[in-house]
Amino acid sequence: MQARILLRRASLAIAGVAVVCPASPVASSASPQPRQLVLQLSDLPTGFGIDKSGVRTNKQVAKDDASTPVGQLVRWGRIGGWETDFSKDTSVAGLLSGAIGGESIASVYKTEKGARASFVVAASRCSTKPFKEISAGVRFGDETHLCSLVRKSNGQTIRVFTLIWRRGTVTAALVVAGVEGGIRPEVAVALGRRQDARIKAEIRG
C-alpha cells in the first residue's frame, strides 16, 4: 500500500501535468478514443492485474495538482483522457524483482499546440529535484522524456520511473515502480512501447 501511495505521488508530480484529462469523459468521434490509448490487461506481464481504469476529469487533476488549475487545463484544450492503474499479485514469486505496480495514462487535445504546451511543463518537472532525467534510449512520437525518483516505503527503497511522450495531439505517460536494485528503466520503456503502439494504431484508425 505504501509503495502504491509513493507511485501515485510520483506520477502526479510529472505525468499529472502532461496527461491529465479534461471534464469530457471521452473524445469526440473524430478524435482518438482515450480508453484505447492506454495499456490493456493483455499488454501486462504475467502476474499483473488492473486495479482500476477510467476517466480523469479536470476537477480531479486540479485537486491533485494545485499548480495546474482547471482554467489552465481548459486553455490547453484537453478533450478527453484515461488512466489505468495496475499492480503485481503479491502471491507471485519474485516480488522484489521487476515492477510491482504502475500507471498508464493518456490524453487527447484539440490541437498539437495545446498538447505541446502541456508537455513542456511536464518535461521541465522531469529534470527538477527530486526527479532526475535519464536517457530513454528511444524516442516515441515527437518528444520523449524518462525520469527517475527514489523514495522510502515501509523500510524499503522504491525506485519509480516515469516515461512521458507526445505523439501529435496525444500525450502519454507510463509510470512503473519497483524495489531499488530490482527494477531497471528498460521495464518502463518496454511497456511504453506497447502503449505507444496502441496510440499509433488509434491515430491511424
Side-chain angles (χ1 to χ4, degrees), residues 168-199:
T169 59
V170 174
T171 59
L174 196 287
V175 185
V176 293
V179 176
E180 177 74 332
I183 185 171
R184 297 181 57 80
E186 287 81 3
V187 174
V189 173
L191 288 175
R193 196 184 303 277
R194 295 181 186 181
Q195 181 174 345
D196 190 53
R198 290 192 172 276
I199 293 172

Side-chain angles (χ1 to χ4, degrees), residues 29-97:
S29 58
S31 302
Q33 297 302 299
R35 71 168 64 203
Q36 302 300 325
L37 306 175
V38 298
L39 292 176
Q40 311 296 314
L41 182 60
S42 59
D43 299 317
L44 300 176
T46 300
F48 280 82
I50 291 177
D51 300 325
K52 66 176 183 178
S53 182
V55 172
R56 187 164 168 74
T57 69
N58 273 357
K59 185 176 180 180
Q60 289 172 315
V61 171
K63 180 180 179 181
D64 290 332
D65 181 7
S67 66
T68 310
V70 171
Q72 180 63 72
L73 305 180
V74 173
R75 285 190 291 275
W76 278 333
R78 291 185 177 86
I79 57 175
W82 206 266
E83 175 183 340
T84 293
D85 299 349
F86 55 91
S87 63
K88 181 183 286 187
D89 186 335
T90 56
S91 65
V92 175
L95 185 61
L96 299 184
S97 177

Side-chain angles (χ1 to χ4, degrees), residues 74-189:
V74 173
R75 285 190 291 275
W76 278 333
R78 291 185 177 86
I79 57 175
W82 206 266
E83 175 183 340
T84 293
D85 299 349
F86 55 91
S87 63
K88 181 183 286 187
D89 186 335
T90 56
S91 65
V92 175
L95 185 61
L96 299 184
S97 177
I100 57 177
E103 297 172 353
S104 175
I105 317 170
S107 276
V108 181
Y109 296 76
K110 292 180 180 179
T111 65
E112 282 197 36
K113 181 179 179 180
R116 189 181 305 115
S118 170
F119 194 85
V120 166
V121 175
S124 68
R125 292 185 177 182
C126 193
S127 57
T128 303
K129 291 183 178 181
F131 297 94
K132 179 181 180 181
E133 182 157 10
I134 59 178
S135 173
V138 65
R139 190 178 87 170
F140 299 145
D142 304 294
E143 308 172 73
T144 307
H145 291 272
L146 176 62
C147 15
S148 176
L149 170 71
V150 174
R151 281 289 185 265
K152 292 288 185 179
S153 174
N154 254 5
Q156 289 186 321
T157 301
I158 303 297
R159 172 74 65 173
V160 181
F161 292 109
T162 301
L163 179 71
I164 59 173
W165 69 100
R166 179 182 68 84
R167 184 175 288 281
T169 59
V170 174
T171 59
L174 196 287
V175 185
V176 293
V179 176
E180 177 74 332
I183 185 171
R184 297 181 57 80
E186 287 81 3
V187 174
V189 173

